[in-house]
Amino acid sequence: MGLSVRGQLTVVRPATDEDVDLLVAWHADPEVSRYWDDETFTREQMQARLEREPVDAWIIEADGKAVGYLQSWWEEDDPLRGGLDGFLIPEARGRSLMPDAARALALSLLGAGWQYVTVDPYAWNERAVRGWRKAGFVEVSRHEADSEHASPWVLLRFEDS
Protein backbone atom coordinates (compact mmCIF):
# COMPACT_ATOMS: atom_id res chain seq x y z
CA MET A 1 0.00 0.00 0.00
CA GLY A 2 1.27 3.41 -0.85
CA LEU A 3 1.29 6.78 0.79
CA SER A 4 -1.65 9.10 1.25
CA VAL A 5 -3.43 10.30 -1.88
CA ARG A 6 -4.77 13.84 -2.10
CA GLY A 7 -7.97 14.85 -3.82
CA GLN A 8 -9.32 18.38 -4.00
CA LEU A 9 -11.58 17.88 -0.95
CA THR A 10 -10.15 14.78 0.68
CA VAL A 11 -7.06 12.88 1.73
CA VAL A 12 -7.11 9.10 1.33
CA ARG A 13 -4.63 7.50 3.72
CA PRO A 14 -3.77 3.89 4.47
CA ALA A 15 -5.88 2.41 7.28
CA THR A 16 -3.86 1.38 10.33
CA ASP A 17 -4.40 -0.67 13.48
CA GLU A 18 -5.48 2.57 15.17
CA ASP A 19 -8.51 2.68 12.82
CA VAL A 20 -9.90 -0.74 13.79
CA ASP A 21 -12.31 0.50 16.50
CA LEU A 22 -13.50 3.31 14.25
CA LEU A 23 -14.21 0.89 11.40
CA VAL A 24 -16.03 -1.52 13.73
CA ALA A 25 -18.21 1.35 14.96
CA TRP A 26 -18.91 2.60 11.44
CA HIS A 27 -20.00 -0.87 10.26
CA ALA A 28 -22.26 -1.20 13.31
CA ASP A 29 -24.30 1.77 12.03
CA PRO A 30 -27.30 0.42 10.04
CA GLU A 31 -26.90 3.39 7.66
CA VAL A 32 -23.49 1.98 6.72
CA SER A 33 -23.99 -1.77 7.05
CA ARG A 34 -27.06 -1.82 4.81
CA TYR A 35 -24.79 -0.99 1.88
CA TRP A 36 -22.45 -3.87 2.88
CA ASP A 37 -25.02 -6.69 2.98
CA ASP A 38 -25.74 -5.82 6.64
CA GLU A 39 -22.29 -7.09 7.66
CA THR A 40 -20.89 -6.01 11.00
CA PHE A 41 -17.52 -6.99 12.41
CA THR A 42 -15.84 -7.68 15.74
CA ARG A 43 -12.53 -6.01 16.49
CA GLU A 44 -10.70 -9.25 15.62
CA GLN A 45 -12.58 -9.66 12.34
CA MET A 46 -11.83 -6.07 11.35
CA GLN A 47 -8.17 -6.51 12.22
CA ALA A 48 -8.06 -9.55 9.94
CA ARG A 49 -9.83 -7.60 7.16
CA LEU A 50 -7.15 -4.91 7.29
CA GLU A 51 -4.44 -7.54 6.85
CA ARG A 52 -5.96 -9.53 3.99
CA GLU A 53 -4.46 -9.87 0.54
CA PRO A 54 -5.11 -8.73 -2.11
CA VAL A 55 -6.90 -5.75 -0.56
CA ASP A 56 -5.60 -2.39 0.65
CA ALA A 57 -7.74 -0.51 3.19
CA TRP A 58 -7.95 3.29 3.16
CA ILE A 59 -9.48 5.96 5.38
CA ILE A 60 -11.03 9.03 3.75
CA GLU A 61 -10.41 12.28 5.61
CA ALA A 62 -11.99 15.68 5.01
CA ASP A 63 -10.94 18.76 6.96
CA GLY A 64 -8.68 16.53 9.08
CA LYS A 65 -11.55 14.24 10.19
CA ALA A 66 -12.06 10.59 9.23
CA VAL A 67 -15.30 10.44 7.22
CA GLY A 68 -15.20 7.21 5.23
CA TYR A 69 -13.55 4.08 4.00
CA LEU A 70 -12.26 2.84 0.65
CA GLN A 71 -10.70 -0.47 -0.21
CA SER A 72 -8.76 -1.21 -3.35
CA TRP A 73 -8.56 -4.85 -4.37
CA TRP A 74 -6.68 -6.33 -7.23
CA GLU A 75 -6.70 -9.45 -9.33
CA GLU A 76 -3.65 -11.63 -8.86
CA ASP A 77 -2.91 -12.33 -12.52
CA ASP A 78 -1.51 -9.90 -15.09
CA PRO A 79 -2.25 -7.28 -16.18
CA LEU A 80 -2.56 -5.44 -12.86
CA ARG A 81 -6.19 -4.37 -12.43
CA GLY A 82 -8.89 -4.30 -9.81
CA GLY A 83 -11.59 -2.29 -8.17
CA LEU A 84 -12.78 -0.09 -5.34
CA ASP A 85 -15.46 -0.41 -2.69
CA GLY A 86 -16.28 2.20 -0.10
CA PHE A 87 -18.65 4.25 1.98
CA LEU A 88 -18.97 7.57 3.75
CA ILE A 89 -20.38 7.93 7.23
CA PRO A 90 -23.92 9.38 7.06
CA GLU A 91 -23.01 12.89 8.23
CA ALA A 92 -20.38 13.19 5.47
CA ARG A 93 -22.69 12.34 2.59
CA GLY A 94 -23.92 14.84 0.01
CA ARG A 95 -20.72 16.92 -0.10
CA SER A 96 -18.99 15.23 -3.08
CA LEU A 97 -16.37 13.70 -0.77
CA MET A 98 -16.60 10.13 -2.10
CA PRO A 99 -16.35 11.12 -5.77
CA ASP A 100 -13.31 13.23 -4.89
CA ALA A 101 -11.63 10.46 -2.88
CA ALA A 102 -12.47 7.72 -5.39
CA ARG A 103 -11.18 9.76 -8.33
CA ALA A 104 -7.93 10.55 -6.49
CA LEU A 105 -7.38 6.90 -5.55
CA ALA A 106 -8.28 5.59 -9.03
CA LEU A 107 -5.84 8.04 -10.65
CA SER A 108 -3.16 6.97 -8.17
CA LEU A 109 -3.71 3.29 -8.95
CA LEU A 110 -3.58 3.91 -12.69
CA GLY A 111 -0.38 5.91 -12.14
CA ALA A 112 1.05 2.90 -10.27
CA GLY A 113 0.51 0.70 -13.33
CA TRP A 114 -3.04 -0.60 -13.00
CA GLN A 115 -4.65 -1.24 -16.39
CA TYR A 116 -8.12 -0.32 -15.14
CA VAL A 117 -10.19 0.29 -12.00
CA THR A 118 -13.82 -0.82 -11.61
CA VAL A 119 -16.64 -0.52 -9.07
CA ASP A 120 -19.71 -2.72 -8.67
CA PRO A 121 -22.46 -0.99 -6.66
CA TYR A 122 -25.90 -2.48 -6.25
CA ALA A 123 -28.32 -1.21 -8.89
CA TRP A 124 -30.77 -0.14 -6.14
CA ASN A 125 -28.11 2.15 -4.63
CA GLU A 126 -28.74 4.99 -7.05
CA ARG A 127 -26.88 7.50 -4.86
CA ALA A 128 -23.70 5.38 -5.08
CA VAL A 129 -24.07 4.87 -8.83
CA ARG A 130 -24.40 8.66 -9.28
CA GLY A 131 -21.39 9.25 -7.01
CA TRP A 132 -19.18 6.79 -8.88
CA ARG A 133 -20.23 8.43 -12.18
CA LYS A 134 -19.35 11.83 -10.76
CA ALA A 135 -15.90 10.42 -9.88
CA GLY A 136 -15.34 9.44 -13.52
CA PHE A 137 -16.64 5.86 -13.67
CA VAL A 138 -18.77 4.90 -16.68
CA GLU A 139 -21.29 2.09 -16.86
CA VAL A 140 -20.06 -1.04 -18.60
CA SER A 141 -22.86 -3.51 -17.86
CA ARG A 142 -25.65 -4.56 -15.50
CA HIS A 143 -25.84 -7.96 -13.83
CA GLU A 144 -28.18 -10.12 -11.78
CA ALA A 145 -27.34 -11.21 -8.23
CA ASP A 146 -24.53 -13.77 -8.08
CA SER A 147 -22.18 -15.41 -5.57
CA GLU A 148 -20.54 -12.07 -4.74
CA HIS A 149 -23.58 -9.78 -4.98
CA ALA A 150 -26.81 -10.24 -3.02
CA SER A 151 -28.76 -8.02 -5.46
CA PRO A 152 -28.54 -6.91 -9.09
CA TRP A 153 -25.45 -4.77 -9.60
CA VAL A 154 -23.82 -2.35 -12.04
CA LEU A 155 -20.24 -2.66 -13.34
CA LEU A 156 -18.57 0.71 -13.88
CA ARG A 157 -15.01 1.40 -15.08
CA PHE A 158 -12.93 4.48 -14.37
CA GLU A 159 -12.26 6.64 -17.43
CA ASP A 160 -9.85 9.51 -16.85
CA SER A 161 -11.38 12.19 -19.00
Side-chain angles (χ1 to χ4, degrees):
M1 186 165 7
L3 302 171
S4 295
V5 176
R6 244 175 227 293
Q8 294 181 339
L9 305 171
T10 60
V11 172
V12 181
R13 65 164 175 81
T16 68
D17 291 342
E18 287 76 42
D19 297 309
V20 169
D21 291 331
L22 180 66
L23 288 164
V24 168
W26 284 349
H27 277 280
D29 181 343
E31 275 304 305
V32 170
S33 65
R34 74 186 194 105
Y35 298 104
W36 287 70
D37 298 328
D38 294 315
E39 283 188 282
T40 59
F41 303 96
T42 65
R43 188 173 206 297
E44 294 74 26
Q45 289 170 324
M46 185 57 67
Q47 184 71 49
R49 287 179 66 80
L50 292 183
E51 296 169 1
R52 65 196 160 138
E53 291 281 338
V55 178
D56 286 331
W58 306 87
I59 299 294
I60 302 167
E61 294 181 343
D63 300 320
K65 181 179 181 222
V67 296
Y69 172 78
L70 273 170
Q71 62 185 24
S72 53
W73 55 267
W74 61 92
E75 296 183 15
E76 306 222 40
D77 52 339
D78 288 330
L80 189 56
R81 65 204 184 282
L84 303 178
D85 299 294
F87 64 83
L88 291 175
I89 57 175
E91 56 269 26
R93 296 176 185 159
R95 299 177 8 218
S96 298
L97 299 177
M98 181 58 84
D100 182 73
R103 179 172 183 76
L105 185 55
L107 287 169
S108 174
L109 295 170
L110 291 174
W114 284 36
Q115 297 296 307
Y116 60 81
V117 180
T118 61
V119 294
D120 58 353
Y122 288 129
W124 57 260
N125 191 350
E126 294 173 10
R127 180 182 212 159
V129 173
R130 281 193 312 272
W132 292 119
R133 285 186 175 133
K134 187 174 183 180
F137 289 82
V138 296
E139 185 172 325
V140 173
S141 54
R142 290 184 174 253
H143 303 268
E144 293 303 315
D146 58 28
S147 62
E148 293 183 29
H149 303 86
S151 299
W153 56 283
V154 183
L155 178 65
L156 298 106
R157 183 171 166 164
F158 184 74
E159 300 290 339
D160 182 22
S161 55

